[in-house]
Each structure stands twice: as structure tokens, then as C-alpha cells.
Amino acid sequence: MTRLVVSLSGLTADPRSLDRAAALAAALDLRGVPLSHLFRPRLRRDAPDPGVVAWLGARRGAGDAILLHGFDHTPDPIGAWQASPVRLGRRAEFALLPRHEAGLRVIAARRAAHAVGLDSDLFAPPRWLASSGTIAALRDNAFALCADDTAVRALQRGTTTGSRVLGFRASGERRADRRAAESWRCRLLVAEAGRVARRGGLVRIGLRAKDLRRPERVAAALTAVDAVLAAGARPLTYAEGLHAGAA
């Protein structure tokens, strides 16, 4: 059966960020589609904004889901143990971590989330990239689910559903090409979502708060949602059914 999950990450203390997120949530509510929110707990000295925390708590109470989105996204999280000169960037915090270090960060993330009332046993790594050590650490710490770039993993059941996250990727085109590239990305999202839905797969649409600054991206995401629903998809969160069933 076709299923649909829509996620949102990157909310900030900027009131406009919350306003845009609320508008998206309202549009999805009208369609009967819940949101899965990717929440970064962060360190005590850089605590999450109380307004964002309160809004996310209210949305979870209304049926949305919360996933821990890494820990603090610190620069160069690889550590001295990694001999490779490759640097994945600050948002790929869990991409290459070994089991022990990933476990320390996972424990810290969960404690920080619990402290603000947003604890969760669902995990989505920054940039959707999780090392095998991270997967093992999540399983060690009784997490139910890890959603990465190519799959949704029910960690305690040991089952995996292959499904790629669809969204608006970073671009490197020249300024003169940006409008055409933006139009292409919007069309591609709608086309890919429709293709997966027609095949009866799991459609995962991943949006970032900065995507919501662009009306054309919001319109494309909602068009993709409508197309997937028209194909008979069942809308879910990552918390609802995915880690208890076939996923």
C-alpha cells in the first residue's frame, strides 16, 4: 500500500520561520496529512528556542511526530580517530561516527530533548546520513526507528523499507540559471513523488524551513502531496505505523 510521510526540519527562533511552518501545517491539516518534525536538541548553552519547543509540543499533541535530528551539529564531529582528510561539513554529524562516539551523542541528544519535553525514540540524522556505528548505537539505546537518506529502519524489529527522501537539494548553479533550475527542481519533486506513489511505495517528502521561504517550493510540495493522495496513499508520520509494520 502506498504511504506518505512529510517531514520538516530547521525551524528557528525567527517568528517568520514559525509562521511559515504553521501555514504549511495548516495546509497539510486540510488534506489530513500530519507532519514529522526533525528537532535538534542542541547543547545547554545553545538551547532550543522556547517558542519553537512550545509549537512543536502543541503539534505533537495534535498528531504530528518528533524525530531527534542529530545532537548539536558541531563542526568536524568526526574526531581525531578519523584519519581521512575528508570533511563532510557540520550538518553531517553522524555520517561517519563509530558506535561508541555515536552512542555518546545519541544519549546526550535524548537527555536534552527530554529536558524540554520533546523526547523521542525516532531518529533522523543531519543530512539524512547515518554511519553503521550510528545505527548500532541507536539500537543499543532502544530507539525504534532511524530514517536516513535511502531507507526507514525499524531498529528493534530489524526490518528496513527502502525509500529515498524527496526534496529540494542544495544547488550550485550560476545566478543566471537559478530560475530555470528552481523550476526544474519543483517539477522533479512532483514527478518523483507521483512515480513512487504509482508503484505503491513509501513516499517521503523532506522539507526544510528555508524551503518555506520560497512560495514555488511550497506550492510544488503541496502539489506533490495532492498527487500522492490522489493515488490512494495513506498519510502517516514516522511515529505512526512505520516502525510497527512493514517498515
Side-chain angles (χ1 to χ4, degrees):
M1 181 182 73
T2 303
R3 293 168 290 170
L4 168 67
V5 177
V6 182
S7 64
L8 177 64
S9 64
L11 285 179
T12 69
D14 182 351
R16 292 171 295 181
S17 178
L18 272 181
D19 288 345
R20 289 187 288 262
L24 173 69
L28 292 173
D29 286 346
L30 290 174
R31 293 164 167 80
V33 177
L35 266 170
S36 294
H37 301 274
L38 277 54
F39 171 65
R40 174 168 64 128
R42 297 192 254 186
L43 297 167
R44 182 180 298 276
R45 65 176 179 268
D46 188 25
D49 177 72
V52 171
V53 169
W55 187 78
L56 290 176
R59 287 300 308 179
R60 178 156 69 175
D64 286 359
I66 303 293
L67 288 78
L68 299 189
H69 190 37
F71 175 39
D72 59 5
H73 296 209
T74 49
D76 298 325
I78 295 173
W81 56 268
Q82 175 65 32
S84 170
V86 175
R87 291 294 179 265
L88 295 175
R90 65 192 302 266
R91 295 183 180 85
E93 180 186 9
F94 281 84
L96 293 176
L97 290 179
R99 187 174 190 164
H100 175 69
E101 188 170 346
L104 294 176
R105 286 179 175 268
V106 163
I107 292 170
R110 198 157 191 185
R111 286 176 177 170
H114 178 75
V116 296
L118 292 177
D119 190 15
S120 176
D121 63 354
L122 313 175
F123 190 84
R127 288 193 178 178
W128 301 99
L129 298 175
S131 65
S132 58
T134 295
I135 300 298
L138 291 169
R139 188 176 291 113
D140 292 343
N141 287 279
F143 275 75
L145 177 144
C146 179
D148 62 37
D149 189 49
T150 60
V152 177
R153 307 173 192 277
L155 299 172
Q156 304 307 317
R157 295 175 62 90
T159 55
T160 299
T161 296
S163 176
R164 188 166 62 87
V165 180
L166 307 178
F168 301 98
R169 303 290 176 161
S171 60
E173 68 274 357
R174 297 172 299 174
R175 184 179 298 274
D177 298 331
R178 286 179 183 174
R179 180 170 296 181
E182 183 71 4
S183 178
W184 175 81
R185 276 192 292 270
C186 289
R187 294 196 305 271
L188 182 63
L189 174 64
V190 175
E192 288 188 331
R195 177 182 58 81
V196 176
R198 288 190 295 273
R199 294 173 58 183
L202 169 61
V203 181
R204 301 168 64 200
I205 298 176
L207 299 174
R208 302 163 298 176
K210 64 182 179 180
D211 292 327
L212 307 186
R213 302 172 192 167
R214 302 189 182 189
E216 63 273 21
R217 293 190 176 188
V218 176
L222 293 176
T223 298
V225 166
D226 289 339
V228 173
L229 293 176
R234 178 187 175 193
L236 298 169
T237 68
Y238 284 111
E240 182 190 2
L242 288 178
H243 61 281

